[in-house]
Structures are given as C-alpha cells and as structure tokens.
Amino acid sequence: MITRILILLILCVAGAVDAFACRGEAIRQGRYDPLIGDRALTFVVFTPSTASPGMPGWRCGREHVLNPEMAKTQFSPFSTFKIANAVIALETAVADGPAFALQYDPARDPKRDWWPEDWAQDHTLASAFKNSVVWYYRELARRIGEERYRSALAKFHYGNKDISGGVDQFWLSSSLKVSPGEQILFLAALFRGGLGASERTLAALDYISQIESADGYSLHGKTSAGPIDRADSDDPLLAFKGRFGGWLVGWVIGPDKKRAYFALYTEGPDFASIKTFRQDMARRLLVDHDYLPPSFAPKP
C-alpha cells in the first residue's frame, strides 16, 4: 500500500530556489521492478494548488514521487533544455513563433553518420522540437548569446545555471545540470506566470510540445538522452557507447484545464535500454496514478 509521507520535492541548490514541502505520495518502486530491470529511475509529478506564484502555498498540491533522493540529484538536461531554449528564443525575439525557420547549412553543421535522416534539412522551431534537431537549437543558441542565457537561467532558477561548457552546447553532457525536482519547479513557475513569459510564448510552447491528445487530455513534453561519461575522443560515434541517461519532461492538461507537471529521468547500460522506456514508463506512471486516462497507457 502506498504510504503517505511528508517529502521535500526539491532541496535548495546553493540557495537558488525554495523547497517544496508538501504532503505527497511515495510511489512504491517494487511494483515496477520487473519493468525497470537494470535501469536507475526517478519520477516526479506535481499538480500545484490554486494559489498563484508569490502567494503562500502555491508550491503545494497533489504530487507523487518515485525515488525521491534521485529526484534531488542534478543531471545534464540534454534535449529537455529545448523547452527552456524555445522560451528564451521566443521571449528575446530570436524566434517569432512555431513556424520560425532556419536553413540547414552543411558547412556549419556537417551531417554525421549517426544523424537521423530528417535532421539534414531546413527546420522550423516546431519541427526541430518534435524531431530533436540538435543543429537547429545550437544555431538558436548562438543567436541568443551568453549574456541573455545568463540572465534567463538566473531568472528561471534553472539548475546550476552553468553555461561554461560553450554557448551552443552547455546543455549537452556538459556544464549545465538540473534535477528532476528543479525541472518541475521551472515548468510550474513558467505556466503559472511566475517567470513573466507572454501568453503568446506559452501558447507556442503548448503547440510545439504536444505528444498526444485524447479523451479531453493532452500530453506534452520533450524526450532527451545522452552519454553519462562522454568518450574522450573526436569520434562522435564513441559518445554513444556505454551508459546513457534519458528524460521525458513535460505536462498534462486535463479536461478542467489544470496542469500536472512531470519529470522522468532514467539511466541504463546503453541507449537502446532507455530509448522507448522513457516515454513508456512515464505514460504508465501517469496512468496508474490518475493523471492520464487508460487510453494513454503504453501499447503492449
């Protein structure tokens, strides 16, 4: 039986963010051990109270957490940073909406053997988000620039806020680190008006991030993955050998328009072990704990 416990959803990280201190439910991991196998896994899902950011109690609400200690640990966000990256690009007018297009330049970003077929072509903000096109968001990052990133990440309280790994790659197995709990805090503050993003930006983010819509619910989010210990080599293929970390970070919008924010992080022995597991496991946990209806359950 799931036991109700008082949990800290997020620990303060260098004093940068306040802690959640709400009553939640622990998810009993043993129930899912056959699915988890030899992977490490943490999952947090949170529906805030009706209070607004800045009002007492807005960080409280309904929440479930699996492996709370791991949920406080910071990891590379990999491509889940595309959520924040899209917000920053839209708010700084580097991009003007989901249809904002960039031409693919093979001289700037040579095609790699490991690239998916749909990367080496022109993309929009929406198509690059959906297909996780790294070159597109690296070019956005160059246009945004270090100064605007430092300002935005400080405002967002986004993880360790460290962009020292390079303006176009600090989120890719590099200097930027964020915990699952901090991902939740960022999303909740973003959509509840605490970060000052415009309604136009939030509507664009909802549009480009939608994974599925059915039965009055919509599931939004971004998957990502990357090597845990990047190989010390100029050969990019070597970076895909060994243990991998992966995310699905996003939100659910219910028929009542209330949002539940979630973050799943997992580690496995290789990319194949987490490739489909990330979304399948997140869907299973969201359905099992009544954040999504059964129609969203992973297919057998």
Side-chain angles (χ1 to χ4, degrees):
M1 181 177 182
I2 296 177
T3 304
R4 282 193 171 275
I5 60 173
L6 186 66
I7 60 171
L8 290 179
L9 194 58
I10 297 179
L11 287 184
C12 292
V13 179
V17 295
D18 294 330
F20 283 129
C22 303
R23 181 165 295 277
E25 291 189 41
I27 298 173
R28 183 168 55 86
Q29 181 168 326
R31 173 184 178 186
Y32 298 100
D33 278 346
L35 296 173
I36 296 171
D38 60 356
R39 306 171 188 90
L41 176 69
T42 185
F43 175 79
V44 182
V45 57
F46 172 64
T47 301
S49 73
T50 55
S52 299
M55 293 176 60
W58 84 268
R59 288 189 175 93
C60 290
R62 182 182 180 223
E63 59 209 11
H64 288 82
V65 58
L66 188 155
N67 197 346
E69 288 304 314
M70 191 176 179
K72 304 167 192 171
T73 304
Q74 293 181 326
F75 308 97
S76 173
F78 307 122
S79 283
T80 63
F81 188 68
K82 285 183 173 65
I83 297 172
N85 229 351
V87 171
I88 296 167
L90 291 165
E91 287 295 293
T92 58
V94 167
D96 59 10
F100 178 71
L102 291 176
Q103 289 187 328
Y104 172 62
D105 182 350
R108 181 192 62 214
D109 297 291
K111 186 177 184 298
R112 308 294 186 180
D113 292 340
W114 49 271
W115 278 19
E117 285 300 315
D118 54 11
W119 276 21
Q121 61 190 46
D122 298 351
H123 275 281
T124 64
L125 188 72
S127 68
F129 190 98
K130 179 180 179 180
N131 296 290
S132 209
V133 181
V134 171
W135 74 258
Y136 181 100
Y137 279 84
R138 291 185 70 182
E139 177 57 21
L140 275 188
R142 297 177 195 119
R143 299 183 182 199
I144 291 168
E146 291 185 4
E147 183 176 345
R148 289 193 284 199
Y149 271 125
R150 289 194 184 94
S151 175
L153 295 186
K155 181 179 181 180
F156 294 172
H157 298 300
Y158 194 96
N160 66 1
K161 304 179 287 295
D162 185 352
I163 67 168
S164 64
V167 71
D168 62 352
Q169 59 184 3
F170 59 81
W171 65 92
L172 298 169
S173 296
S174 187
S175 57
L176 185 65
K177 308 291 182 185
V178 65
S179 72
E182 288 165 334
Q183 296 260 33
I184 296 291
L185 181 58
F186 163 64
L187 290 176
L190 175 67
F191 280 103
R192 294 170 66 80
L195 302 181
S198 69
E199 289 298 321
R200 184 170 180 268
T201 289
L202 298 181
L205 186 58
D206 270 340
Y207 174 76
I208 68 176
S209 64
Q210 183 169 295
I211 297 171
E212 183 179 346
S213 180
D215 299 329
Y217 289 80
S218 58
L219 174 64
H220 300 255
K222 185 73 197 75
T223 57
S224 71
I228 294 172
D229 298 310
R230 185 179 290 277
D232 185 16
S233 170
D234 292 332
D235 181 356
L237 292 177
L238 294 181
F240 285 83
K241 296 184 178 181
R243 287 184 63 78
F244 252 68
W247 298 84
L248 176 60
V249 174
W251 54 98
V252 170
I253 306 175
D256 57 2
K257 304 305 179 185
K258 291 183 69 174
R259 294 174 187 254
Y261 307 99
F262 67 89
L264 178 145
Y265 178 79
T266 185
E267 293 182 356
D270 50 34
F271 176 63
S273 69
I274 65 168
K275 182 179 179 181
T276 61
F277 174 78
R278 298 165 295 175
Q279 189 166 149
D280 287 351
M281 195 69 207
R283 285 172 176 265
R284 170 56 56 205
L285 290 162
L286 289 167
V287 168
D288 285 354
H289 295 88
D290 300 321
Y291 292 90
L292 280 173
S295 57
F296 282 79
K299 302 300 183 286

